[in-house]
Amino acid sequence: MAIELSEAFVRLVGPSPVIQALAGGLVIAFMNLVGASLVLVWRNPSERALDGMLGFAAGVMLAAAFTSLIIPGIEQYSGGNPIPTLIGVGLGALFLDRADRLVPHAHYLLTGRPRGDAAKQGQTHPISEDRLSGLVLFILAITLHNMPEGLAVGVGFGAAGGAVDQLGGALSLMFAIGLQNIPEGLAVSVAAINAGLDRRLYAAIAGVRAGAVEIPLAVLGALAVSTVEPLLPYAMGFAAGAMLFVISDEIIPETHRSGYERVATLGLLAGVIIMIYLDIALAG
């Protein structure tokens, strides 16, 4: 099944890793748009449902960080040496940490409550939140947290090098991130509606925003590792570290604030199970 799917993908988009990454970026961006558009028909999803879906998204990202990025980065692209990949993990987490102090936390925009470690006026965030619209703040914060996903997909296709027998891991990563983009897109739209934005307008804007960041980052990730091969384990670690930071710093705390921790945990476990199955089924 894995080889047949990989062959069909190559016939459809061609053997170039960069073009494959572009196609992968389009897929995950489209799935984000699907999730954002769900609010048109599911007008008032409950906190319980959202927490379960976001937990699922966290589980998919958690498993993908290890099965599709960290472990291959160490075993296949560093000859068993963990140092380059682990350096990348640290750099990815550090990048998100520093960026989070310059851009308002997604937590503030989702809940309306500031966090104690968020950037303060007159310190690291020079622009007053009062001078920016809620929409601009929201797009900045969520775009920051979607960056690792596009990068991870691009790095996955770049690592495969266009080879049919190596595409399984990249395809499983693309499908998994696309799948978790559905609940993430829905959560973004719900939060925007709660902030007073128009539901139809924001569903469209959310899809455009997703495409604007995930597609070029997928291409950039593939281009970087295709042209500078020694960067590959560092890039895979970087994408994984950034994803792990988002899971721990934003998604899990957000799903554990409304009393539905058990639902979120079960969702996370379901996401881990599905991602591991996809990884084995498509990479085998």
Side-chain angles (χ1 to χ4, degrees):
M1 173 185 173
I3 295 298
E4 289 83 352
L5 182 60
S6 298
E7 289 175 343
F9 184 79
V10 171
R11 285 197 300 270
L12 182 64
V13 304
S16 168
V18 176
I19 301 301
Q20 291 173 354
L22 174 61
L26 288 169
V27 169
I28 63 173
F30 174 74
M31 298 303 279
N32 199 303
L33 175 58
V34 169
S37 301
L38 281 178
V39 78
L40 299 176
V41 294
W42 190 9
R43 293 184 172 265
N44 191 28
S46 67
E47 287 275 0
R48 180 187 179 93
L50 284 175
D51 285 349
M53 294 175 71
L54 286 174
F56 174 84
V60 169
M61 292 174 68
L62 180 62
F66 288 95
T67 62
S68 298
L69 294 169
I70 294 176
I71 293 175
I74 294 173
E75 294 184 349
Q76 298 178 30
Y77 303 106
S78 297
N81 178 13
I83 301 302
T85 304
L86 295 181
I87 288 174
V89 170
L91 291 175
L94 181 63
F95 173 79
L96 262 292
D97 175 67
R98 294 296 92 192
D100 241 2
R101 295 181 183 277
L102 297 176
V103 176
H105 276 279
H107 176 89
Y108 171 79
L109 297 164
L110 288 168
T111 67
R113 297 190 301 271
R115 281 173 32 162
D117 59 348
K120 304 293 194 302
Q121 286 189 12
Q123 297 179 10
T124 56
H125 181 43
I127 302 176
S128 168
E129 290 174 355
D130 293 336
R131 293 167 55 192
L132 295 176
S133 71
L135 177 59
V136 172
L137 288 174
F138 198 86
I139 291 174
L140 283 174
I142 301 301
T143 295
L144 171 65
H145 291 79
N146 269 4
M147 288 171 60
E149 299 166 11
L151 181 63
V153 169
V155 169
F157 282 108
V164 172
D165 59 346
Q166 298 293 320
L167 274 177
L171 289 173
S172 67
L173 187 61
M174 178 190 75
F175 287 131
I177 289 181
L179 192 62
Q180 69 88 30
N181 267 354
I182 295 176
E184 184 179 82
L186 175 61
V188 169
S189 283
V190 169
I193 291 167
N194 290 340
L197 299 176
D198 176 75
R199 107 175 33 243
R200 293 182 182 274
L201 173 63
Y202 192 77
I205 291 176
V208 171
R209 183 270 313 154
V213 64
E214 289 177 335
I215 295 171
L217 276 173
V219 173
L220 179 62
L223 190 60
V225 300
S226 298
T227 57
V228 189
E229 190 172 343
L231 283 179
L232 185 52
Y234 296 95
M236 296 180 85
F238 184 94
M243 289 170 66
L244 292 172
F245 184 93
V246 171
I247 294 166
S248 178
D249 191 63
E250 295 289 356
I251 298 180
I252 291 178
E254 177 62 23
T255 60
H256 283 224
R257 70 176 182 85
S258 301
Y260 301 114
E261 295 90 345
R262 183 63 55 84
V263 173
T265 299
L266 292 175
L268 184 145
L269 290 172
V272 168
I273 290 168
I274 288 177
M275 177 59 209
I276 292 175
Y277 175 79
L278 284 174
D279 188 72
I280 293 173
L282 295 179

